[in-house]
Amino acid sequence: MDFVGRYAKIPILELVAEGLPNREIGERLHLVEKIIKHYMTNVLQKLHVRSRVQAALLAQKRGLGEAGTHEAGTQSGAPDSGN
């Protein structure tokens, strides 16, 4: 049973792993927040965890939502090393 691996291409779990709230996930995916909440309830049950934090940590351990993949995380303001 590797639910995280099977659903690695579903962006909601990846966005949760990046720490985004339901509202922002919904905005990015053009879904209403209620759909995201429903989806997360199912994810928590299938992963056998009690919180979205536990789900995010499990997803991160499997390579989803790693540091630097979130748009805000990539805008560090550091100069481009290619210059």
Side-chain angles (χ1 to χ4, degrees):
M1 192 254 352
D2 188 17
F3 178 79
V4 175
R6 287 187 303 173
Y7 290 91
K9 294 184 180 181
I10 295 177
I12 295 173
L13 186 55
E14 182 171 0
L15 294 172
V16 168
E18 291 176 13
L20 297 178
N22 291 339
R23 180 191 52 77
E24 190 171 342
I25 293 170
E27 289 173 1
R28 288 189 181 204
L29 300 178
H30 306 288
L31 298 170
V32 295
E33 186 175 359
K34 187 174 181 176
I35 296 293
I36 304 301
K37 287 180 181 180
H38 177 73
Y39 177 86
M40 284 308 303
T41 298
N42 291 335
V43 168
L44 296 179
Q45 290 175 353
K46 290 180 189 248
L47 292 178
H48 304 288
V49 296
R50 294 180 184 224
S51 72
R52 67 186 289 123
V53 172
Q54 290 175 323
L57 290 173
L58 187 58
Q60 287 175 348
K61 286 181 183 179
R62 300 288 165 68
L64 294 178
E66 293 178 315
T69 60
H70 181 252
E71 285 178 12
T74 60
Q75 298 174 355
S76 65
D80 183 18
S81 61
N83 286 339

